[in-house]
Amino acid sequence: QLVDENAFYKGVGADISASGIFVASGKQPRPGQKVTMGIPDRTGRMVMVQARVVWSNGSGFGLKFIRKD
């Protein structure tokens, strides 16, 4: 699940890497939009991460994780 300042999105994550993830979803946020999403860790605990929408099409969207230093 993903949340931005105006909407809630549901999708299935695939093709995850250290820098981003593809999310298959029928509802897509706009490219450039910042979102917060929960990703389960190995124990099943949800880790909240921030990402920016890089691209979006009819099947889903690509996110680039935002690093917190």
Side-chain angles (χ1 to χ4, degrees):
Q1 67 188 40
L2 294 101
V3 180
D4 70 16
E5 61 275 357
N6 299 314
F8 174 81
Y9 303 88
K10 258 189 144 173
V12 177
D15 196 20
I16 190 168
S17 72
S19 61
I21 187 171
F22 168 74
V23 179
S25 176
K27 182 178 178 185
Q28 289 89 27
R30 295 179 322 276
Q33 206 166 353
K34 189 172 162 184
V35 297
T36 301
M37 66 182 295
I39 299 176
D41 68 10
R42 291 184 178 141
T43 67
R45 187 178 130 254
M46 291 301 255
V47 177
M48 302 308 286
V49 297
Q50 290 187 327
R52 187 162 313 276
V53 180
V54 178
W55 58 267
S56 177
N57 65 26
S59 64
F61 50 93
L63 297 174
K64 180 177 174 88
F65 297 130
I66 298 171
R67 288 185 57 137
K68 287 187 175 181
D69 294 322

